[in-house]
Amino acid sequence: MSTARAWRPAKALAQRRSFSTTPRVLDNYAFIGLGRMGYQMARNLQSKLPPGDTIRLYDINKSAAEKLAEEMKAQQAGGAAPEVSTSVADAAKEADIVISCLPEPQHVRSTYEALLKGIAHLPPRPQPRLFIDSSTIDPHTSSTVRQRVEDKLAGQGHFVDAPMSGGVVGAAAGTLTFMLGSDKLLVSRLEPILLRMGKRVLHCGPQTAGLAAKLANNLLLGIQNIGTAEAMLLGVKLGLDPKVLADVINASTGKCWASEVNNPVPGVVPTAPASLGYEGGFGIELMLKDMKLAQDAARRIDLEQTMASKALDLYEKASKDAECKGRDFSVVYQVFDKTNGQGP
């Protein structure tokens, strides 16, 4: 895998546009999948697109698409014209750029099968369509979908993977980091699109490289979260004030995102989910999904994983606990605490 390269926001691109005397080619967008992440990403994209462009919205929950379209129309700042579509094929039929943000590999497969069935017979667009999938799925499924796009559209479509980091908060604030897997010749076309929804694009290599980077990162995050929870609980049981312990860890070699930003002990970091009843943040079910995807990817290349397997078992156990369901993945601290009794 090539070294990830950070692409700077294309401010100059946007500024130069106003000085051009050549009429701007209008773009048609489709956004498919309006869950917690997709809803916010689509909102940012629409608001930053120039008037004249169109964005068609589709979600299996039609009310979500209708609500978002109404919010977009109510904005005073302009942006692309929103439309609610009745199907994925309807959303994509006029689209130059299709962005998808879906929960599971099977959703990506079925969505693109329906999409391709609906548009494969249509005449080519002025330039090949871009299909940007921001779903966190396994590289094998992503590669299979890419091949289907190439076969069905005969070179008139490019499918790329662009999973993101930053969570719902980052999606709402437009500060996501996208890990892009695509032909390097497409980066200059993809970058301005992604930067309307985030602040950084890391080109990780060819298609599926973005997903490989995302799964490796989340695998490490899942393991670090468990290690932080165990370390914090050890200190608490030995009589340490958890805030004091966190200060020591974050000034020492144990420092990581799980200890500094998302500390699993209630009250240590006021803004962390742990201090908010473990609400918000990255759901434990999503972490379990990502750990399973990483394990599946490792299995496909005969890579033995020790820490990952143990971590997966713990998240599986925690996700079945009634007190953990739907909560931030740092809630594993409560699982450890409950297992080991209450108090120091």
Side-chain angles (χ1 to χ4, degrees):
M1 183 181 296
S2 61
T3 302
R5 177 182 174 190
W7 295 83
R8 292 182 299 174
K11 285 186 178 178
L13 259 174
Q15 292 170 348
R16 285 200 300 269
R17 176 179 278 185
S18 62
F19 293 101
S20 174
T21 56
T22 304
R24 187 180 67 82
V25 177
L26 302 181
D27 286 325
N28 290 311
Y29 287 78
F31 203 108
I32 299 168
L34 302 171
R36 296 176 69 198
M37 293 291 291
Y39 195 99
Q40 302 297 339
M41 291 164 62
R43 184 205 297 275
N44 275 313
L45 176 64
Q46 180 271 340
S47 68
K48 295 172 186 175
L49 288 171
D53 286 357
T54 300
I55 182 166
R56 291 176 172 84
L57 308 170
Y58 177 77
D59 191 90
I60 193 169
N61 178 9
K62 188 178 180 182
S63 62
E66 291 173 338
K67 178 185 176 186
L68 181 56
E70 288 303 313
E71 290 176 1
M72 290 174 171
K73 290 174 183 176
Q75 289 184 126
Q76 300 300 313
E83 296 180 8
V84 176
S85 295
T86 57
S87 67
V88 292
D90 178 55
K93 64 184 179 182
E94 297 294 332
D96 305 291
I97 299 103
V98 176
I99 301 169
S100 51
C101 186
L102 301 162
E104 303 275 356
Q106 64 266 29
H107 301 127
V108 176
R109 283 193 299 268
S110 61
T111 293
Y112 277 89
E113 281 299 318
L115 184 156
L116 292 170
K117 184 177 180 180
I119 71 170
H121 65 285
L122 298 176
R125 305 293 296 170
Q127 59 180 328
R129 300 176 193 252
L130 286 179
F131 299 91
I132 305 171
D133 184 40
S134 289
S135 315
T136 298
I137 60 174
D138 60 288
H140 176 73
T141 295
S142 185
S143 179
T144 300
V145 173
R146 175 189 59 80
Q147 191 61 54
R148 291 289 290 164
V149 168
E150 291 183 357
D151 291 346
K152 286 287 188 179
L153 299 185
Q156 292 301 307
H158 300 296
F159 179 89
V160 306
D161 54 295
M164 59 284 183
S165 177
V168 177
V169 172
T175 57
L176 295 172
T177 293
F178 288 93
M179 288 151 271
L180 176 61
S182 77
D183 188 304
K184 64 182 178 181
L185 296 177
L186 294 173
V187 174
S188 62
R189 189 178 169 199
L190 292 161
E191 179 200 7
I193 299 167
L194 295 172
L195 287 174
R196 289 185 172 102
M197 300 179 286
K199 69 174 182 179
R200 187 163 58 161
V201 178
L202 300 174
H203 182 227
C204 300
Q207 202 270 322
T208 73
L211 284 167
K214 175 67 184 288
L215 293 182
N217 178 78
N218 280 24
L219 172 65
L220 179 58
L221 173 62
I223 293 170
Q224 284 179 330
N225 176 60
I226 291 172
T228 300
E230 287 194 323
M232 291 297 298
L233 186 61
L234 172 65
V236 169
K237 295 294 184 183
L238 290 174
L240 282 170
D241 181 307
K243 288 188 177 182
V244 171
L245 176 57
D247 286 343
V248 171
I249 290 173
N250 293 327
S252 307
T253 52
K255 176 182 175 180
C256 60
W257 185 85
S259 67
E260 185 178 32
V261 177
N262 210 62
N263 197 286
V265 182
V268 171
V269 178
T271 55
S275 299
L276 305 170
Y278 294 98
E279 298 297 331
F282 191 60
I284 194 163
E285 292 83 4
L286 292 175
M287 177 52 77
L288 176 61
K289 184 200 84 167
D290 288 359
M291 298 291 285
K292 286 181 175 178
L293 290 173
Q295 188 175 69
D296 178 68
R299 190 181 297 117
R300 287 181 180 276
I301 58 173
D302 296 322
L303 178 66
E304 184 178 348
Q305 295 184 309
T306 302
M307 296 298 294
S309 296
K310 292 182 180 297
L312 178 60
D313 289 343
L314 176 62
Y315 286 118
E316 190 104 52
K317 174 185 175 183
S319 68
K320 295 175 182 176
D321 189 318
E323 295 181 15
C324 297
K325 285 183 178 179
R327 296 189 169 185
D328 182 74
F329 74 119
S330 61
V331 77
V332 295
Y333 178 82
Q334 299 288 59
V335 176
F336 290 143
D337 198 12
K338 188 162 54 176
T339 301
N340 290 279
Q342 300 296 320

